[in-house]
Amino acid sequence: MSRAFPVISVRAMSSVFKVPVGDRTWQRRTGGSPGHPTPAADEPVRDCRGPGIVAGILAPHPPQLLYAENPSQNEPTSEGGWEVLRWAYEDLRRRIREMEPDVIVLHAPHWITMVGHHVNCVPNPKGFSVEPIFPHLLRYRYDFRTDVELAEAIADQASDDGLVTRKMRNEGVRVDYATITALHLLSPDWDIPVVSLSANNNPYFYSTSSLDQMEILGESARKAIEGLGRRAIVAGSNSLSHLHWERELGLPEDMTYEHAYNHHQYRWDMRLLDLIRAGRTRELREMIPEHIRQTESETKAGSLSWMLSALGWPEDVGEVLTYGTVIGTGNAVCLWDMRGRQ
Amino acid sequence: MNDTMNDTMNDTVNEGATTGTHGHFAGAVLMPGMPQLLAADPAPVWAELTAESKHVGTLLRDAGAETLVVLSTQWFTVLGHQVQLDPRLRGVRVDENWYDFDYGTMPYDLRTDVELAEQWAKEIERTGLEARRTHYEHFPIDTGMIVATGLLDPADTLPVVQVSCNLYAGVEAISTLGRAVMDAASAVGRRVAVVAVSGLSSGLIQQWITPGEDHVESARNEEWDRRVLGLLAEGRFGEVMELREQYAREAQADSQLRALAFLEGTGQVNRPADVRAYGPLWGTGGAVVHWAP
């Protein structure tokens, strides 16, 4: 197996447009105050079937996982592979069903927008998506429903919170493979409405998302979800360590090639996952930038930070459902079950 | 455009020439792939970049180009080097960032020089690199490819071959792709124009602006861009390559300016270039630079 380290060090370059964070609409929508209000002692704990964010998910999107599932929507067929990761998604889907969400809000890194944060507001995205990097693995016919009201509310809220945003209403924009893969693995019947958010970064300029902006965007999403009374799952779609093989040898699903890229990456992934398992989210928040530096983690696209910010960086919650590698990258399926906590 | 560049801007091309070093080289160009070049109501500098791109296309055709060989940094990949083999690429590309602008929707109809592309893949493999043959219906063609080919050859007289830009490939590998395509052109008897679609500094303005508000995002970036272009105009290609990593760090050069290594690999550009236009494209630096055969 040939291996290659990136020869160019990736650096944060994005010259971020920052304006003072404001919020002109959230209180008006909800009659409440920003943040995570703590119920008074005599207030009942929120009904576990009530509105709000019921769970956060780290949902990696290697197209190999979807390819290995052999869904009817995907042209290529496989002999399987990456079963342990896929079994974790299977367990996760069962738990998602139990949560009865109204919507899944997803941030994924491969709808790349050079300027600002975009929200897909097309009511019924439908089309055929050929993955440009792994076209032999993912050629997928997609057809799903957007929760347009929530999509627009998130865009409005993010704009009010000082982010550059755009509502994408053009049906001709191809839905990217990361969005498709993560959503398919979370909800293969596509019967839960979706809100899809873009990633404001650019790999060919080697830019990295501003994690600060991603945290603001997470808060914006939470305000919009709560303002509209949606029962939502927020999913950030990132792999962890992201160095990988430079070649594909033989059958893609031949698992004899599959293992961690190197010990260093694996150890750093385990350090991050240890914090998730222990529910030490404040430490996790501090560690994410260092994990990115050490492993070129795909969390540099900000999806994990966005999701945890939407949850309010909760302590004492967090499960690692599994960890596995895909062409050497580290991938973990993680769940933050927020039911009864808000 | 500064005076130094203007001094070196001369049409040294012998239009209509049909011989290059190998007889297979009809010229090279470095040009941006930002869709603002297609704007119906462009900023003046966008219009200049567009006009110069079209003019260079004329020079390439007059020099006897039979095929456009394109590496676009916007077709970025991570496994090996993808070579497009689909003989006919037709469709409408709606850019995922610029979809609301008139230039964000781009019909395209490209013919691939399959014989050359196949040979190129073989030559790449001969060097020890991985060539990944790509032939899938509805494969997404990148904005840079459509912009460049549309401006260089608006009448669609020339077929194309294209290779992806591996995000992790070093300059040696990218340079090898350039060398390999010249070997392939020689093997199949093709006269090619080699096109690197890449911006310069990449300080995108993170606001929605009007064309008239466009400017290179920082003076430092513009200073870097002009320095690099000045060196290219003076034929100091090697110095540019030596400065490349520093340029990438300090001005966030598009894909670390590795696209220039692609041109270097042809063995035809280590001499004065004709820097025909330079200006901002939504804060990034863009230039049209031509090397005659």
Side-chain angles (χ1 to χ4, degrees):
Chain A
M1 175 69 67
S2 174
R3 306 176 184 184
F5 290 93
V7 294
I8 306 298
S9 65
V10 179
R11 66 187 293 262
M13 60 68 66
S14 55
S15 53
V16 175
F17 174 63
K18 289 184 176 175
V19 297
V21 175
D23 179 2
R24 298 195 301 273
T25 63
W26 183 73
Q27 294 184 28
R28 187 169 71 241
R29 287 187 195 130
T30 65
S33 58
H36 272 288
T38 304
D42 57 347
E43 285 181 332
V45 174
R46 175 177 291 190
D47 178 350
C48 69
R49 293 191 183 278
I53 296 176
V54 293
I57 293 171
L58 178 61
H61 58 260
Q64 286 85 352
L65 301 183
L66 190 149
Y67 161 74
E69 291 279 309
N70 286 316
S72 61
Q73 300 99 320
N74 199 32
E75 278 189 356
T77 57
S78 74
E79 298 175 11
W82 304 277
E83 275 76 7
V84 178
L85 276 162
R86 294 193 291 117
W87 291 338
Y89 265 114
E90 191 177 316
D91 289 344
L92 182 60
R93 288 194 288 271
R94 178 181 51 76
R95 296 178 69 172
I96 289 172
R97 287 281 158 210
E98 292 170 359
M99 293 174 186
E100 299 181 15
D102 299 323
V103 62
I104 298 173
V105 184
L106 177 81
H107 186 278
H110 294 292
W111 174 15
I112 296 163
T113 51
M114 295 184 186
V115 181
H117 306 271
H118 299 221
V119 185
N120 190 334
C121 295
V122 175
N124 179 200
K126 190 189 300 187
F128 189 69
S129 189
V130 177
E131 209 283 84
I133 296 175
F134 300 96
H136 58 309
L137 304 183
L138 194 144
R139 303 189 300 277
Y140 189 95
R141 194 165 297 285
Y142 60 91
D143 181 353
F144 62 91
R145 287 175 299 130
T146 296
D147 182 339
V148 175
E149 186 183 20
L150 178 59
E152 293 186 342
I154 292 173
D156 287 340
Q157 185 65 61
S159 182
D160 286 340
D161 288 345
L163 300 179
V164 176
T165 62
R166 198 161 197 101
K167 297 173 185 172
M168 198 283 282
R169 306 181 197 281
N170 191 319
E171 294 180 351
V173 174
R174 178 181 59 88
V175 175
D176 66 281
Y177 82 90
T179 298
I180 289 170
T181 299
L183 288 172
H184 179 97
L185 293 170
L186 294 172
S187 176
D189 294 334
W190 296 89
D191 54 349
I192 304 171
V194 167
V195 175
S196 163
L197 309 179
S198 79
N200 175 215
N201 61 74
N202 195 322
Y204 61 92
F205 292 157
Y206 275 84
S207 71
T208 298
S209 285
S210 155
L211 296 185
D212 290 345
Q213 286 204 19
M214 296 311 299
E215 293 198 17
I216 294 170
L217 187 62
E219 293 165 8
S220 303
R222 183 182 72 234
K223 294 173 193 172
I225 288 164
E226 293 179 354
L228 288 176
R230 290 293 193 276
R231 188 174 169 80
I233 286 173
V234 289
S237 187
N238 284 152
S239 294
L240 298 180
S241 59
H242 212 232
L243 298 180
H244 54 72
W245 318 131
E246 68 171 8
R247 294 175 183 234
E248 186 178 68
L249 299 177
L251 193 68
E253 59 266 41
D254 182 344
M255 293 294 101
T256 58
Y257 296 123
E258 199 58 81
H259 55 86
Y261 185 85
N262 62 32
H263 184 58
H264 180 78
Q265 289 214 112
Y266 178 82
R267 288 304 309 152
W268 272 93
D269 282 354
M270 290 307 112
R271 289 177 66 174
L272 185 131
L273 294 177
D274 271 347
L275 294 179
I276 292 176
R277 293 180 70 238
R280 291 155 57 190
T281 314
R282 275 191 294 271
E283 291 173 66
L284 173 64
R285 186 182 193 175
E286 298 299 317
M287 184 187 172
I288 287 172
E290 182 61 18
H291 180 257
I292 292 169
R293 278 190 290 275
Q294 292 289 340
T295 69
E296 305 293 356
S297 173
E298 199 185 30
T299 57
K300 67 189 174 192
S303 308
L304 175 63
S305 297
W306 168 82
M307 181 271 290
L308 287 168
S309 175
L311 299 184
W313 297 95
E315 288 285 302
D316 302 319
V317 61
E319 300 172 57
V320 177
L321 304 186
T322 197
Y323 174 86
T325 64
V326 178
I327 61 169
T329 64
N331 296 272
V333 180
C334 302
L335 174 67
W336 288 259
D337 188 339
M338 301 297 289
R339 288 176 293 176
R341 292 183 57 89
Q342 292 180 299
Chain B
M1 187 62 55
N2 64 29
D3 291 338
T4 303
M5 290 177 204
N6 277 328
D7 289 345
T8 57
M9 265 189 214
N10 45 58
D11 289 341
T12 55
V13 179
N14 294 319
E15 297 190 10
T18 55
T19 56
T21 301
H22 297 291
H24 299 289
F25 179 73
V29 58
L30 171 70
M31 64 178 293
M34 293 283 275
Q36 283 74 14
L37 297 189
L38 306 178
D41 185 18
V45 70
W46 298 358
E48 183 189 0
L49 288 162
T50 300
E52 290 301 334
S53 298
K54 289 180 176 175
H55 179 66
V56 168
T58 301
L59 297 179
L60 297 176
R61 291 192 301 279
D62 288 349
E66 296 172 309
T67 299
L68 295 176
V69 175
V70 184
L71 177 144
S72 166
T73 60
Q74 294 183 48
W75 183 14
F76 50 87
T77 57
V78 299
L79 290 178
H81 305 276
Q82 288 179 222
V83 178
Q84 180 61 255
L85 288 176
D86 192 337
R88 191 77 180 264
L89 300 154
R90 276 182 290 193
V92 177
R93 158 106 172 125
V94 182
D95 188 279
E96 57 271 22
N97 187 80
W98 308 109
Y99 49 81
D100 275 345
F101 298 85
D102 62 276
Y103 48 79
T105 298
M106 294 159 276
Y108 60 91
D109 186 351
L110 303 171
R111 291 174 294 118
T112 296
D113 183 340
V114 175
E115 182 187 18
L116 179 60
E118 291 272 15
Q119 187 63 35
W120 192 6
K122 290 177 189 170
E123 298 291 347
I124 290 170
E125 288 169 339
R126 206 187 310 276
T127 69
L129 298 176
E130 184 188 23
R132 296 177 68 84
R133 293 163 175 80
T134 302
H135 185 172
Y136 300 98
E137 194 176 1
H138 305 300
F139 186 89
I141 305 303
D142 70 276
T143 292
M145 177 73 188
I146 297 168
V147 169
T149 53
L151 294 178
L152 294 173
D153 186 31
D156 189 27
T157 60
L158 301 176
V160 301
V161 291
Q162 49 181 317
V163 70
S164 68
C165 183
N166 187 310
L167 283 174
Y168 303 132
V171 287
E172 299 80 9
I174 299 289
S175 177
T176 298
L177 300 177
R179 190 172 73 244
V181 82
M182 294 310 299
D183 290 342
S186 177
V188 302
R190 202 75 82 246
R191 187 167 170 83
V192 297
V194 185
V195 183
V197 182
S198 173
L200 299 175
S201 65
S202 65
L204 278 158
I205 296 172
Q206 287 295 315
Q207 295 183 63
W208 301 110
I209 59 173
T210 62
E213 294 173 316
D214 203 358
H215 58 279
V216 176
E217 190 260 353
S218 74
R220 180 183 176 86
N221 282 2
E222 181 164 350
E223 188 179 321
W224 257 115
D225 291 343
R226 290 189 180 279
R227 180 180 178 188
V228 165
L229 292 173
L231 290 171
L232 291 177
E234 292 168 13
R236 296 156 68 183
F237 197 97
E239 286 181 55
V240 173
M241 296 308 286
E242 287 173 11
L243 285 169
R244 189 190 59 81
E245 289 191 19
Q246 185 185 356
Y247 179 38
R249 281 194 307 273
E250 297 184 6
Q252 297 84 45
D254 182 346
S255 296
Q256 302 82 43
L257 205 63
R258 287 175 300 145
L260 217 51
F262 179 60
L263 300 185
E264 182 187 39
T266 66
Q268 304 292 319
V269 295
N270 193 14
R271 53 202 168 81
D274 184 6
V275 180
R276 302 200 61 91
Y278 168 73
L281 290 163
W282 216 282
T284 69
V288 178
V289 183
H290 176 234
W291 287 264

